[in-house]
Amino acid sequence: MTADIRPRHAGTEARKPLLAVQGVTRRYEGNRQAVTALEDVSFNVFEGEFVCIVGASGGGKSTLLNIVAGLDAPDAGHTLFDGEHVKGPGPDRVLVFQEAALLPWLNVRENVEFGLKLRHTLLADIAAKAERCLELVHLQDYQKLHPHELSGGMRQRVQIARALAVEPRMLLMDEPFAALDVQTRERLQDELQEIWMRTRSTVLFVTHNVREAAVLSDRVIVMTSSPGRVKCEIPVPLPRPRQMDSPPVTGVAMWIRAELQHTGPAGKEPAIASPS
Ligand code: ADP
Ligand code: MG
């Protein structure tokens, strides 16, 4: 991860995508009935982009992220990462989950360094990278604490620092703030925006919170549910930093919500959080 050197690109049409999801379908054979979690899902993500996927609960978002991470495989279609078929997990794609899975016997710093050690990073580099990532998430002063001594927000910060430390080419975030209280969630959204402005990491971020998507993304992919399909893509060309309650962010959030209104199964209201 290098600060502020990657160029941002104006158009997306002519460039080769970093991630290309092409016609992905995933069915689960249940005991009583089969579920089509994803049906013919296609989209691209370009280097340096922050893309949010928004859809109702049970709409196949985690399934999609697991497929991109290489933890699950589609029944039809394929996923290309930097032009190569995704065949399994790799250090170029790191998943950040809703609940931080930290190692309880390691302190904050050791948790951040853990992934680097697994990758046989040079000792001097481990120290420098851990230092920089702890600073990015504002945990420099909490390095010696253990997970049980941390709040939920701090545990998510450690998880984000640990993911950033290994410098993946793409961060995959699956509703990382969904379990946090509103104040902590908004604070972490601001911090993630600040981190992204400094690192320009490529991020694929799943949420069902429309305001979160509006404040964070360059582009929002709206999904239908049952089965999960791409309904539309909404570009978000607003300057950063963005304020959560600003009129433009509110406008985009309302647009996303309007697109979601009719995406649920016939006759059912979609299970979507309101933007307020
Ligand atoms: P989301 O993350 O959008 O809430 P999921 O990807 O978790 O949605 O799930 C999509 C659908 O696939 C749901 O109906 C869910 O019950 C089903 N599903 C997900 N994982 C499995 C599994 N391992 N076995 C059977 N059904 C599953
Ligand atoms: Mg999910």
Side-chain angles (χ1 to χ4, degrees):
M1 180 179 54
T2 315
D4 287 333
I5 59 164
R6 288 190 225 169
R8 312 266 10 263
H9 301 277
T12 54
E13 295 76 16
R15 288 182 289 130
K16 198 174 128 219
L18 180 59
L19 172 70
V21 174
Q22 299 176 336
V24 161
T25 295
R26 178 71 170 102
R27 288 183 204 92
Y28 291 110
E29 304 299 332
N31 288 337
R32 281 184 296 157
Q33 64 176 70
V35 174
T36 304
L38 298 170
E39 189 171 79
D40 197 18
V41 169
S42 300
F43 64 90
N44 291 325
V45 177
F46 295 87
E47 190 125 38
E49 262 194 315
F50 197 121
V51 175
C52 275
I53 295 181
V54 180
S57 274
K61 303 181 301 297
S62 294
T63 302
L64 180 58
L65 232 54
N66 286 338
I67 288 173
V68 173
L71 300 171
D72 192 4
D75 296 301
H78 43 254
T79 311
L80 300 173
F81 192 82
D82 202 16
E84 304 277 331
H85 282 271
V86 171
K87 296 204 178 87
D92 46 10
R93 290 152 287 135
V94 172
L95 251 173
V96 172
F97 301 97
Q98 186 171 321
E99 300 287 346
L102 303 177
L103 298 171
W105 61 91
L106 298 181
N107 67 29
V108 164
R109 184 175 181 116
E110 290 161 345
N111 264 287
V112 173
E113 291 181 343
F114 184 73
L116 292 165
K117 287 182 177 157
L118 283 183
R119 287 173 167 83
H120 306 293
T121 312
L122 290 173
L123 275 180
D125 289 347
I126 290 179
K129 285 172 199 238
E131 201 71 47
R132 173 167 153 69
C133 292
L134 285 166
E135 186 246 321
L136 274 172
V137 299
H138 306 298
L139 284 180
Q140 313 88 303
D141 298 335
Y142 302 91
Q143 306 193 21
K144 294 275 175 0
L145 297 186
H146 283 75
H148 73 272
E149 299 172 282
L150 306 176
S151 65
M154 288 165 90
R155 280 198 294 272
Q156 282 309 72
R157 287 194 184 92
V158 179
Q159 194 183 187
I160 292 168
R162 186 178 60 184
L164 289 169
V166 298
E167 299 174 5
R169 293 196 62 197
M170 184 177 278
L171 264 184
L172 306 170
M173 307 184 87
D174 193 356
E175 310 211 40
F177 307 144
L180 304 174
D181 61 82
V182 176
Q183 283 81 9
T184 309
R185 181 176 191 141
E186 291 188 359
R187 175 111 189 260
L188 263 82
Q189 288 163 351
D190 279 347
E191 288 182 13
L192 183 61
Q193 187 178 187
E194 179 199 317
I195 289 169
W196 186 85
M197 287 171 71
R198 288 177 65 183
T199 63
R200 303 282 161 150
S201 306
T202 311
V203 184
L204 184 58
F205 186 107
V206 161
T207 181
H208 62 266
N209 183 305
V210 294
R211 201 175 276 278
E212 182 167 89
V215 91
L216 292 173
S217 337
D218 291 312
R219 192 151 54 87
V220 178
I221 296 170
V222 179
M223 290 191 64
T224 66
S225 58
S226 308
R229 291 199 194 102
V230 173
K231 184 182 186 213
C232 65
E233 293 194 9
I234 298 176
V236 190
L238 302 176
R240 292 179 169 96
R242 300 172 186 165
Q243 302 301 322
M244 186 65 75
D245 296 324
S246 67
V249 167
T250 303
V252 171
M254 287 171 72
W255 181 6
I256 300 167
R257 190 170 54 164
E259 291 291 352
L260 283 166
Q261 293 298 317
H262 304 291
T263 60
K268 269 174 114 181
E269 282 295 307
I272 294 294
S274 91
S276 52

